[in-house]
Amino acid sequence: MAVNPKQEIARLREEIEHHNHLYYILDRPEISDAEYDALFRRLSQLESEHPDLVSPDSPTQRVGATPAENFATICHSIPMLSLGNAFDEDGLRDFDRRVRGILQLDEVDYVAEPKLDGLSVELVYRRGVFEQGSTRGDGRHGEDVTANLRTIPSIPLRLRAHNGAVPELLEIRGEVYIERADLLELNARRESDGLPPFANPRNLAAGSLRQLDPSVTAERPLRIYCYDVGRIEGLTIESQAALLDVLPRLGLRVNPLYEVSRGIEPAIDFYRRLMEEREELPYETDGAVVKVDDFEARRTAGTVSRSPRWAIAGKFPAQQEITRLTDIVVSVGRTGVLTPVAILEPVRIHGVEVTSATLHNEDEIERKGVLIGDTVVVQRAGDVIPQVVKPLPEHRTGTERPFTMPTRCPACGTEVVRFEGEVARRCVNTSCPARFQQSILHFIGRGGLDVEGLGYKLVGKLVETGLVSSLADLFRLDRDALIELERVGPKLADNLLAALDEAKRVPFARFLFALGIPDVGESAAEILAGEFDSLDALTEADEETLTELPDIGPKTAAGIVRFFGNPENRATIADLRHVGLEIVLPTVPQIGGPLKGSRFVFTGTLTSMPRSDAAERVKSLGASVASNVSRTTDYVVVGENPGSKADKASDLGVRRLDEAEFLALLEEHA
Ligand code: IVH
């Protein structure tokens, strides 16, 4: 029986929402990712055939919005408050005493929850539809970040009915955060792409939500836990326990780790246990929030200076240790920025051995008053990157000495420059070996040529020994020279040469990113590759033409023109072509191709074709290709000598294809 498209679309949306809920909210998926994607693909297909049936709350419409110019200011109808702090158990007992005094009760019920380290937001649902989302801002006025929040999969675009109805209005508050493992993985990727890592989950959450381009936010693995309400109409909730019970029924994600406490002691117990066990949690928490359970009692308690009298944050002591700062060295990045790094006597902070810490820049060292040889306090307080908190001057012996930022680059000796308005000093020598080493790492890194098996140490050796003194030299390496290097055996040499050979056919956008043109990240590179028919056409483009492109501002445009105008860069590109590097222009994907919506990841060497060809083949059938395996990957194609991606595929239950199966799949769909 023919189903009408409208009905099928409605049914698919419902089904997809149901599985979203199982996966993101309840953490209990019932179908495989491939099945889920098939539903999603079917819905996308129907919607593209019937554009009039697309609606903003469709699961296909999460990353719909185009980049904004700026964020609109919104006014929170009920202010979003901040919390007072208690620093130990007695601080929590004092809080309880105050609350009992105000409420004139002998015993108060509380709810204790982990305090999450992210960014607090408000979500407004009207008649069940996610209408607006905003940051806390100053508590009264926040920024409208609706388009970015829509990209977070655990934020439902539509609420589920509870007792047959959805509330007329629901303002929900919660924390957008990132799990520790996701942050580490993201930072590793950023570092290999030559981008600065995020210092902590909060910076990441804030940075991601304040992106003008929602497609950037969509790539950050953000999550939400909801924990508070603003205005509600059409639903009565009278306690925190009731709130935490009803939110998941409406499809909103709630941290299951909370406890209802009769009197303060069980809440204190929760605080103590959380402090001891927090390292085992997948997210960072810097304390426990203890809240009066009953909402009527909250209204009685009221608010003083932006903090409610009915709640408190029991903070954990920061994870700090004392050690000696033995030296300050200076590292040089790809763009020439000099970064002072503290070398520390090794110290363990909460299970992790710390041997160095970034000092960011000279102003920071000055501000902290740190001397070389100082005894210092070092912390890892929710921070992935350890920090020097302060020196302990009372430990000084008189042998300490101040650090001065070198006036010459430590790697090449060129005089460094401090540009107006910048804190950093830069080495401006484009052939500086330290910069060159970082440039190679960027060139062969994940967003670039993606050469497997060529890491930091080996690149260092290649540069040091003079085997590689230009990007093109990478493709001139031979087996004998490689085997001469320490720790490089015949097998590694062969794999490396095969990987390099394969990397020679590189998609246009990846090549542009790999070149390290100032301000040209992965998304700008994609735009340029989509707009120009060839590298030569791009090389000749003027600032005006470039500025007209989406997302390319005047600064980036000027940087691009300057980059291609530089004879050294032109020579590098000519040389790369000379050694056989081939830029693969994007094939126009077949709309609705047979593999539309499938996601592929390749690992290892294929014998029948270079990986870049394989990637182009699947793309021309409508699929997309990613460099990392995740739950949303459909196929991992495993060639010879695969990397860790093959194991990851098995761990996540992603379908693995060997070369023969892959060829059969191409055959079947060609
Ligand atoms: S309740 C006024 N619960 O802490 C009470 N806040 O310093 C409303 N936070 O802005 C907040 N985890 O960003 C509450 N489980 C939790 C929390 C939490 C983190 C943050 C929130 C708030 C800040 C207050």
Side-chain angles (χ1 to χ4, degrees):
M1 192 186 62
V3 192
N4 84 36
K6 194 170 173 181
Q7 282 172 345
E8 190 180 354
I9 285 179
R11 210 194 56 214
L12 282 164
R13 286 183 187 161
E14 202 173 304
E15 211 173 330
I16 290 170
E17 292 299 357
H18 171 69
H19 292 296
N20 273 348
H21 182 71
L22 288 170
Y23 187 100
Y24 290 110
I25 314 295
L26 304 181
D27 214 1
R28 212 175 54 214
E30 282 177 2
I31 59 171
S32 71
D33 289 355
E35 281 170 276
Y36 175 86
D37 287 352
L39 293 172
F40 205 92
R41 281 198 295 277
R42 176 72 186 146
L43 178 60
S44 307
Q45 187 195 346
L46 283 174
E47 286 181 343
S48 68
E49 284 164 13
H50 304 278
D52 51 312
L53 296 178
V54 178
S55 69
D57 63 335
S58 169
T60 59
Q61 300 302 304
R62 285 197 176 264
V63 196
T66 45
E69 295 276 308
N70 52 37
F71 297 108
T73 303
I74 57 88
C75 186
H76 299 295
S77 44
I78 299 179
M80 291 180 74
L81 303 173
S82 58
L83 291 170
N85 291 324
F87 295 98
D88 51 27
E89 299 184 5
D90 281 342
L92 291 172
R93 287 191 186 97
D94 290 343
F95 161 74
D96 173 54
R97 210 167 295 125
R98 287 194 299 274
V99 172
R100 283 188 288 117
I102 304 166
L103 299 178
Q104 311 220 320
L105 289 171
D106 293 336
E107 189 182 75
V108 175
D109 287 351
Y110 296 102
V111 171
E113 304 166 10
K115 184 170 191 302
L116 299 160
D117 196 16
L119 194 76
S120 56
V121 297
E122 179 167 77
L123 313 173
V124 180
Y125 287 89
R126 208 175 282 277
R127 276 172 235 109
V129 176
F130 177 45
E131 191 180 78
Q132 188 179 60
S134 53
T135 59
R136 188 176 87 117
D138 65 6
R140 294 187 168 273
H141 306 96
E143 284 177 318
D144 182 338
V145 288
T146 313
N148 291 337
L149 289 169
R150 287 175 63 92
T151 69
I152 300 176
S154 50
I155 295 182
L157 300 180
R158 187 176 265 286
L159 296 179
R160 299 162 72 79
H162 168 54
N163 292 339
V166 288
E168 178 65 23
L169 174 70
L170 188 61
E171 291 178 351
I172 283 299
R173 280 101 188 253
E175 200 85 355
V176 169
Y177 71 98
I178 183 172
E179 291 195 348
R180 243 192 286 253
D182 288 335
L183 181 63
L184 285 175
E185 191 183 318
L186 183 73
N187 272 345
R189 206 155 64 224
R190 284 176 69 84
E191 262 179 307
S192 80
D193 289 349
L195 297 168
F198 291 103
N200 55 50
R202 188 206 312 283
N203 288 359
L204 176 272
S208 304
L209 284 185
R210 300 198 67 260
Q211 281 289 334
L212 290 170
D213 181 356
S215 68
V216 177
T217 316
E219 284 176 9
R220 307 268 165 86
L222 299 172
R223 301 170 196 251
I224 192 167
Y225 271 141
C226 303
Y227 50 60
D228 198 17
V229 277
R231 282 185 304 166
I232 334 176
E233 288 166 22
L235 179 72
T236 313
I237 301 175
E238 271 311 322
S239 70
Q240 184 71 7
L243 176 73
L244 298 179
D245 178 64
V246 80
L247 291 183
R249 297 173 200 272
L250 291 163
L252 292 158
R253 193 159 176 264
V254 163
N255 191 347
L257 188 61
Y258 69 86
E259 264 174 42
V260 180
S261 164
R262 304 208 163 273
I264 196 69
E265 287 308 320
I268 290 175
D269 200 47
F270 178 88
Y271 164 79
R272 197 182 309 125
R273 271 180 287 127
L274 188 65
M275 176 156 42
E276 281 159 13
E277 288 160 20
R278 67 180 150 145
E279 289 295 310
E280 278 135 56
L281 293 174
Y283 48 82
E284 296 281 354
T285 166
D286 56 352
V289 184
V290 178
K291 311 171 179 180
V292 170
D293 184 37
D294 182 51
F295 286 2
E296 185 55 41
R298 289 187 184 183
R299 287 186 276 273
T300 311
T303 300
V304 270
S305 68
R306 294 179 175 218
S307 304
R309 283 196 287 198
W310 46 263
I312 195 154
K315 299 290 282 273
F316 300 139
Q319 306 167 28
Q320 296 188 331
E321 293 297 339
I322 292 169
T323 189
R324 224 168 69 84
L325 183 156
T326 53
D327 202 0
I328 297 178
V329 299
V330 173
S331 79
V332 186
R334 175 172 64 87
T335 56
V337 171
L338 269 54
T339 306
V341 180
I343 305 298
L344 305 169
E345 267 174 20
V347 58
R348 285 189 87 74
I349 311 181
H350 257 256
V352 174
E353 185 171 79
V354 175
T355 56
S356 65
T358 174
L359 289 163
H360 304 290
N361 54 57
E362 53 193 305
D363 289 4
E364 182 83 356
I365 299 178
E366 172 105 25
R367 197 175 60 73
K368 287 190 172 146
V370 177
L371 302 178
I372 297 172
D374 260 342
T375 301
V376 291
V377 176
V378 183
Q379 78 176 16
R380 216 170 63 79
D383 288 10
V384 176
I385 302 171
Q387 291 175 337
V388 173
V389 181
K390 58 173 187 189
L392 297 174
E394 60 275 25
H395 287 253
R396 285 187 182 147
T397 60
T399 56
E400 298 75 15
R401 57 199 164 87
F403 167 79
T404 42
M405 202 63 178
T407 53
R408 293 184 175 278
C409 168
C412 70
T414 306
E415 203 158 325
V416 296
V417 183
R418 191 168 182 167
F419 290 110
E420 220 185 289
E422 281 195 16
V423 245
R425 291 181 197 240
R426 288 171 190 268
C427 166
V428 290
N429 172 14
T430 47
S431 9
C432 166
R435 291 186 59 179
F436 179 55
Q437 181 173 347
Q438 297 290 342
S439 302
I440 297 184
L441 286 165
H442 179 75
F443 186 68
I444 58 168
R446 289 222 193 130
L449 271 65
D450 195 14
V451 180
E452 265 186 61
L454 194 48
Y456 181 83
K457 286 207 174 125
L458 192 49
V459 168
K461 268 190 237 167
L462 293 173
V463 176
E464 246 168 64
T465 52
L467 280 176
V468 172
S469 58
S470 71
L471 293 180
D473 280 352
L474 286 168
F475 302 103
R476 295 193 185 96
L477 287 169
D478 69 29
R479 192 170 187 268
D480 295 342
L482 280 173
I483 294 175
E484 297 249 312
L485 295 173
E486 216 181 306
R487 279 180 221 265
V488 180
K491 184 155 185 260
L492 179 57
D494 288 339
N495 287 347
L496 214 56
L497 290 173
L500 281 163
D501 199 49
E502 200 171 289
K504 271 187 191 167
R505 280 177 56 84
V506 55
F508 192 15
R510 305 256 298 249
F511 179 70
L512 291 177
F513 175 76
L515 286 175
I517 306 165
D519 294 322
V520 176
E522 284 176 278
S523 80
E526 287 284 350
I527 290 166
L528 294 170
E531 295 286 337
F532 289 91
D533 295 339
S534 67
L535 180 62
D536 294 329
L538 171 61
T539 317
E540 300 308 326
D542 58 23
E543 279 184 47
E544 208 182 329
T545 315
L546 290 166
T547 315
E548 277 169 18
L549 301 179
D551 262 8
I552 308 283
K555 181 162 163 266
T556 310
I560 296 170
V561 171
R562 211 175 314 120
F563 183 90
F564 288 116
N566 181 338
E568 268 177 51
N569 295 332
R570 282 176 179 260
T572 301
I573 293 169
D575 199 16
L576 283 167
R577 282 178 155 157
H578 180 73
V579 294
L581 187 119
E582 199 184 322
I583 296 167
V584 181
L585 296 171
T587 22
V588 183
Q590 245 180 294
I591 304 294
L595 292 177
K596 183 164 186 275
S598 309
R599 283 174 219 170
F600 281 76
V601 170
F602 291 89
T603 180
T605 315
L606 299 176
T607 52
S608 56
M609 65 180 93
R611 228 157 75 178
S612 49
D613 280 9
E616 285 306 308
R617 292 278 292 275
V618 295
K619 279 192 204 163
S620 73
L621 295 172
S624 62
V625 176
S627 50
N628 292 308
V629 182
S630 75
R631 283 183 194 283
T632 60
T633 311
D634 297 285
Y635 300 103
V636 175
V637 180
V638 182
E640 281 176 19
N641 299 314
S644 60
K645 292 173 196 171
D647 297 333
K648 179 128 190 237
S650 307
D651 290 347
L652 293 177
V654 173
R655 173 100 192 268
R656 292 170 50 147
L657 299 176
D658 63 22
E659 187 161 356
E661 289 169 320
F662 173 64
L663 292 173
L665 184 91
L666 288 182
E667 185 94 346
E668 183 188 325
H669 293 291

